[in-house]
Amino acid sequence: MKKIRHIKDFPGAACGFPTRFYKATIKTGFDSVPAKMKIVLQDTGWVISNLVAMAIATVTEKSKRQRLIKHLLHTLFWVCLFFPLVVNSQSRSLTATQNTLDSLKGILVELPDGDSAVVNLKQITQLYFTGIYQLDSARKYGTLLYELGQRIENEKGIALGQYYLGRVADGKGDYVTATNYLKAFLESDVVRHDTLLLASGLYSMANICIHQGDLEEALNYQLQVLRLDEASGDSSTIGLSLNNLGIIMKELNRSQEAIEYLERAKSIFENLGDEANVAMALSNLGGLYANEGDNVKALNVFRRSLDIYERLNHERGIALALEHIGMVEGKMGEFEKSLNNHHRSLAIKKKLELKKEMAESFHQIALIHNTMHHTDSARYYFTLGLDIAEDIGDKKGIRRAYKELADLEAGNHNFKKAYEFFVSYHRISDSILNESTASQVIQLETKYGVEKSKAEILNLKNQQKLNDRLSKTLRWALVTTAFLALLSISFLIYRARTNKKLFQIEQKHAQNAKIAYDQLKSTQSQLIQSEKMASLGELTAGIAHEIQNPLNFVNNFSEVSNEMIDEMNAELNKGDVKEARIITTEIKQNLEKINHHGKRASDIVKGMLQHSRGSSGVTESTDINALVDEYVRLAYHGSRAKDKSFNATIKTDFDEAIGKIDIVPQDIGRVVLNLIGNAFYAVNERKKVEGERFEPTVSASTKKTGDKILISVTDNGNGIPQKVVDKIFQPFFTTKPTGQGTGLGLSLAYDIVKAHGGEIKVETKEGEGSEFIIQLPVV
């Protein structure tokens, strides 16, 4: 009888992923099994161990035990019968994993909500994540595991659900979601008291930090994991920690230390006979040699890794090894070989539906074609990578694709497309920055709230203690007056000391809360500056169109004047002075027009420079009608520059009785620009749905009412849903799709109008449009 304590003890069970959760104590009796079947049972030991573990964990009633044992024996019979037929087939491990999943799902149907169902769902989720790497299915069952844990108040089930949901989000490149889930996992009491779970969570956090480039934090997490692993004495997990440390050192450009860690990890895996992790360590060593420019050595190491993965029929490992070999061959100028290996890798990734890895293959193939000056092919594969990145929501992948496409089009002098890609690149970059900054703001706000709550709770607890002491004092007063006097004095001394301590504690919490609040205000200031710069970009497109008109006049009149000078010289040569003087008069008129349009261009540039410098905060006497009219035109030309198909009817109605009012023109202009831009966006979205039967219309008007000036912006778009009207002026709230709005425009507009002593409000009706009204006082 052999005792199995770790999944790695089963031959053929290596899967290339950390196996921190595969621990069980199961007795298996192979002595009476025929030799040929014994091999099959060893190869399928992982399947059997899971089924036996589930049977033991879930059976509580005799009738149910009999049904499950019958199901187990039935499954075991077909496993033993089926596997010898496909023992040399490349899909054997995937078939075994799928059979196990089917069996576990069959058991799950019969299980009531309870600890047994938690164990079952954990096994299914783990198989989908590490066995066949189907992230969508892993997320589905991880969610069921998390919800079941909450429903039956099983803390371990909740924690495991958070763990797997975090790992899946990491696999999909959603690092913010992954971090939130894994931090919640690490804060669980169950995890803090379980070294294995704690090490797994810290290990996963280290990987996320590596993916995000936060190497200092990754090193901190990984050193904690290594200490836990060394304390447990588990060689396999120590090897995994050393491997991760090697990756971190490589990213920190500490090559020698990276090689030492990776060689130690490889040595441990070789001693354990863990070929999958040996291949993983070799792959990381190859990447290190490639970074140092030793392409020949890197290629040899990657090929050794590929040999192991092919021997193990590890399809995902084969795909990654082929990708690495293709990248090195590309650096060596062997482009045909490189493309061949990248396409082989891509075929496997498509089969396994590894979308994130497919995007990487498309990107690498595009880079090779770009190097070979195959512009059309490079554009095609960059676009395929962009489509997948947008499909899975990988914002960093989207940003990288836009950047490469912008460079590609610029290199081919297609500056219009290059500009469009460049604008998209900066838009997604701003979106990533805003999400990160918004997360910081939320954390600071939470911290501020927590500090405040702690102070209140501590104060209440101490007050309760004081009340208890007082109650006891009164009871003892009935017994003896002398003891009352003594106890009262003691109580007063105690209360004085307690109040002093409370005051010190409250002072400390108030100081911490002030620091958190100052950090919050600083972050908000940075966000406002970011939104100002975004509005500058909106202005640029409109100004570029506006300035083109006077420049065209300058160029045309200059050319005409030049020709007229030639004519004048010809007349002078003929002796016709009268005709020459007539020509000089016309040349003078042309020069006056050149001067006029030159000044017009100068005024436009001057206005742009004033806007780029931001608001001085100083009010100026401003013609509000001219200001609104200017920004309406700039917003329209900006929208047209982004989308040539965009068109809209613009109506204006300005009250000439207003005259000039004292405002900060750059700030109010930014408000008008934002409202007009939103109106154009709204009517354009409705136009896309309704087509030619819809006429997009935007109106801007001014009116003086008593001691107030009203500026109105109206559109006939889809309107704003009533359920979100109260939220539109809140920071970070936007009704636009991800990447098309920061959620700060209306918030900033609200603050600017308030700073002028005015108000901004909205009247809207779904399906009919919206009207934003700015109300400013006449100073």
Side-chain angles (χ1 to χ4, degrees), residues 582-597:
I582 293 173
I583 294 174
T584 59
T585 303
E586 293 178 355
I587 291 174
K588 182 178 180 181
Q589 292 174 351
N590 287 352
L591 290 176
E592 288 174 352
K593 292 177 180 177
I594 290 172
N595 183 49
H596 169 74
H597 290 291

Side-chain angles (χ1 to χ4, degrees), residues 402-403 405-425:
Y402 277 134
K403 179 66 167 60
L405 284 166
D407 292 342
L408 177 70
E409 299 298 350
N412 287 279
H413 306 292
N414 188 354
F415 297 112
K416 178 178 177 294
K417 290 295 292 183
Y419 173 75
E420 292 174 356
F421 285 127
F422 191 69
V423 168
S424 298
Y425 164 75

Side-chain angles (χ1 to χ4, degrees), residues 474-493:
L474 291 174
R475 288 198 299 270
W476 279 101
L478 298 174
V479 179
T480 171
T481 304
F483 185 71
L484 173 62
L486 180 62
L487 188 59
S488 297
I489 293 171
S490 301
F491 171 72
L492 291 174
I493 294 172

Side-chain angles (χ1 to χ4, degrees), residues 62-118:
K62 184 175 180 181
S63 60
K64 186 176 292 185
R65 183 186 299 118
Q66 290 173 347
R67 289 199 308 272
L68 289 176
I69 289 176
K70 181 178 179 181
H71 178 76
L72 171 63
L73 292 175
H74 179 76
T75 302
L76 182 59
F77 168 78
W78 283 108
V79 167
C80 296
L81 182 64
F82 178 74
F83 264 79
L85 299 177
V86 291
V87 71
N88 293 318
S89 169
Q90 185 176 7
S91 62
R92 181 183 63 183
S93 59
L94 288 175
T95 304
T97 304
Q98 191 60 56
N99 287 343
T100 306
L101 280 168
D102 293 341
S103 298
L104 290 172
K105 289 178 184 177
I107 294 172
L108 179 63
V109 174
E110 298 187 20
L111 290 176
D113 284 356
D115 295 346
S116 302
V118 168

